[in-house]
Amino acid sequence: MQPQRLKKAITDNPKKLGNLIDLVNLPSTLRDFLGQSQISRLGCFMRVWSYIKTNNLQDPKNKNVVNCDEKLKSILLGRQRVELVDLPSLIKLHFTKTPKSN
């Protein structure tokens, strides 16, 4: 069973959802971090989030902030601390847009 917001997103714009779940080739920085050569944008974000939780990188006083270790810094533009709301946009920078074919 899917949450109502996800159902609405799928029915309103299925192409946008496809961009999140399509497999793409990863650049070397993400490939080194994730240990695989292809993954979806959504899968990549989920793996990064899992890494943050597993390594206890959230700030204990402010859970909306991630304190980056060296490995995480390598994919987040060398930032020491990152707000959770900025995380998807920083990960998205690694995914280049593919030219549309006619």
Side-chain angles (χ1 to χ4, degrees):
M1 187 165 156
Q2 297 173 339
Q4 190 64 28
R5 285 178 32 200
L6 183 57
K7 284 182 187 177
K8 183 169 174 32
I10 292 169
T11 55
D12 286 353
N13 196 348
K15 186 173 182 180
K16 190 171 188 176
L17 179 66
N19 289 339
L20 286 175
I21 60 175
D22 287 341
L23 288 180
V24 294
N25 292 322
L26 296 175
S28 61
T29 52
L30 276 179
R31 197 174 318 129
D32 294 341
F33 182 84
L34 298 173
Q36 55 189 107
S37 61
Q38 283 190 330
I39 197 168
S40 66
R41 279 181 33 202
L42 183 60
C44 179
F45 179 77
M46 291 173 70
R47 294 279 302 271
V48 171
W49 178 245
S50 175
Y51 178 83
I52 290 167
K53 295 297 277 183
T54 302
N55 292 290
N56 207 14
L57 296 177
Q58 280 183 283
D59 190 318
K61 295 177 183 166
N62 183 359
K63 294 288 186 179
N64 292 322
V65 175
V66 175
N67 297 318
C68 301
D69 63 2
E70 290 303 315
K71 188 174 178 182
L72 193 57
K73 274 191 217 178
S74 70
I75 63 165
L76 298 180
L77 306 177
R79 290 181 164 187
Q80 187 74 21
R81 294 168 56 93
V82 175
E83 296 276 335
L84 282 180
V85 297
D86 297 333
L87 200 56
S89 60
L90 290 171
I91 292 171
K92 185 179 177 181
L93 293 174
H94 292 281
F95 293 89
T96 58
K97 291 190 175 193
T98 55
K100 295 180 180 179
S101 57
N102 292 335

